Amino acid sequence: MNKNRFGKTALASLAAMALLSACGNGAEENGGASTNDSGAGGGKVKLTLWHNFAGDDARAKTVRAKIDEFAAAHPEIELDAQAIPVDGYRQRLSTVAAADEMPDVFLSYAGSHIKGFQESGLVQPVQELLDAKPEWKDSFLPGAFDGSTFDGATYTAPLAMSATSFLYYNAELFQQHNVAVPKTWDELMAAVDTFNKAGITPIALGNKAPWVAQSTILGSLADRVTGTDWFKKAVAQDGAAFTDAPFVEALGYFKQLVDADAFDKGANTIDNTQAEQVFIQGKAAMMVSGAWTLTNLATTPEDTLKKIEVTVLPAIAGGKGDANTISGGPGAGFALSKKVEGDRKQAAFDLIYAISGPDAQKAIAESNSMVMYKTDVDSSKVTSLYYKAFELVKTVGITPVYDAYLSAEAGEAINNGLQEIMMGAAPDAVAKNLQDAQARSLNP
């Protein structure tokens, strides 16, 4: 996915937006983002809440239901909750941030998004709430707070997991063609060869939007070769560079897939949704994709979903990374405006817990959406495919998604570079472009 990016570029952009006088409209002009009414004198405590769960999907409906439940259970709180469509959500937040009129409670993405608000002094930690409910805090999966913890304080509790590199495979096709589920790279290449000879696309890929190959394949594949520590050093340009041999080797493995016709020839011209349909219709044996596919396929008949299994990408011999991993990380969570104090702060904490706490995490998980939280899921309430993936997540490690850490320029360089490899470009040239872009971003 086109995720939130860590790095100086994103932070500088947020700071610049905060200085734009053209964006300096007050809260009233921007939909009344914030209210400082403390409820003194016996009146209601007033809170504003912004989120992007505006759609008709099961997760959006689940979160909105939790908000409605909270409002009904707390008549002493006057809650102004606004569901803003995803496409315009970031811009709306940027506009009110420039006016220093943040909503009291609002959904913020992990990584550079929440870090920008934190560095601009617009939010306060939710650490006090987490510490007050240790059983809740301790039930999050490892790494859940990594994208929203700065200077030892946590600013959001994630509602979702951004899992991007599940290896989905059609067990029926594997059985029909006597193909073993690949646990090593050689086994994967053998499976590609067998399915090609049978006239079946080995791996469905829709890379028209070029983030797909990077997010679903490269991050996990490269980590198996280089290890996570090397990647983080390369991102920081501290003792490692993307022109180093291990990363060029990782790109070489991706090129092996291209050269072996693992993907459809038109993979750069179809989107991810089209690729999902190719796979679910049995025209492709495998697909490397994220948790969003679980949601997208939730309405697929169970008889079809039961043919699909899910695992991780195979190991790379001699690689420095752990093979039992998927790429991903924490998703968005609710943040708290710096201006919320007193009774309003306690009410805001109660609200955040109601829509992020154990009951909410379970409900969101049972809407066929991944969460970074240890909860039991009623298998009768989710698809069989989701349940398999949910159980798998509990047993694997999480490695970085490249564009969640790279600068915006570098993320674009590797996204476009993978498309170029699919059209014949050399891995070392793509590695150099990535290295140059990341270096420029850190030292403009």
Side-chain angles (χ1 to χ4, degrees), residues 235-297:
V235 168
Q237 297 287 283
D238 181 13
F242 288 105
T243 48
D244 291 350
F247 182 69
V248 177
E249 179 186 352
L251 289 178
Y253 280 108
F254 182 77
K255 189 174 188 300
Q256 281 185 41
L257 292 173
V258 173
D259 292 346
D261 293 327
F263 313 120
D264 188 282
K265 291 293 186 183
N268 279 338
T269 64
I270 67 172
D271 63 28
N272 188 69
T273 301
Q274 290 171 299
E276 288 174 344
Q277 290 306 305
V278 169
F279 174 69
I280 204 65
Q281 290 169 10
K283 298 176 183 178
M286 293 173 278
M287 178 175 62
V288 188
S289 192
W292 57 86
T293 289
L294 301 170
T295 303
N296 293 346
L297 299 181

Side-chain angles (χ1 to χ4, degrees), residues 135-151:
E135 186 174 351
W136 173 51
K137 180 177 72 171
D138 294 343
S139 293
F140 283 91
L141 298 178
F145 303 116
D146 288 354
S148 61
T149 298
F150 315 108
D151 302 323

Side-chain angles (χ1 to χ4, degrees), residues 143-283:
F145 303 116
D146 288 354
S148 61
T149 298
F150 315 108
D151 302 323
T154 299
Y155 287 79
T156 68
L159 285 182
M161 168 186 277
S162 175
T164 72
S165 65
F166 292 118
L167 175 58
Y168 299 93
Y169 64 96
N170 187 315
E172 188 174 81
L173 288 178
F174 270 71
Q175 185 176 9
Q176 287 175 359
H177 295 276
N178 197 29
V179 176
V181 178
K183 296 185 181 301
T184 67
W185 188 258
D186 287 345
E187 290 176 350
L188 176 62
M189 298 306 293
V192 167
D193 182 60
T194 298
F195 287 119
N196 268 328
K197 289 177 178 176
I200 298 168
T201 299
I203 303 174
L205 174 65
N207 198 46
K208 183 177 182 180
W211 61 265
V212 177
Q214 170 268 130
S215 182
T216 64
I217 299 175
L218 181 71
S220 192
L221 172 60
D223 191 85
R224 281 156 170 68
V225 179
T226 68
T228 301
D229 289 343
W230 176 91
F231 171 69
K232 290 183 176 179
K233 289 179 181 178
V235 168
Q237 297 287 283
D238 181 13
F242 288 105
T243 48
D244 291 350
F247 182 69
V248 177
E249 179 186 352
L251 289 178
Y253 280 108
F254 182 77
K255 189 174 188 300
Q256 281 185 41
L257 292 173
V258 173
D259 292 346
D261 293 327
F263 313 120
D264 188 282
K265 291 293 186 183
N268 279 338
T269 64
I270 67 172
D271 63 28
N272 188 69
T273 301
Q274 290 171 299
E276 288 174 344
Q277 290 306 305
V278 169
F279 174 69
I280 204 65
Q281 290 169 10
K283 298 176 183 178

Side-chain angles (χ1 to χ4, degrees), residues 399-423:
T399 61
V401 183
Y402 267 50
D403 69 355
Y405 286 78
L406 294 170
S407 69
E409 183 186 357
E412 184 176 358
I414 188 57
N415 288 352
N416 293 337
L418 293 176
Q419 277 196 338
E420 291 163 6
I421 288 175
M422 293 173 70
M423 294 184 289

Side-chain angles (χ1 to χ4, degrees), residues 339-356:
K339 294 181 179 180
V340 180
E341 300 175 341
D343 291 343
R344 295 178 63 245
K345 182 176 179 179
Q346 183 57 54
F349 276 161
D350 291 344
L351 170 61
I352 292 172
Y353 184 71
I355 54 182
S356 310

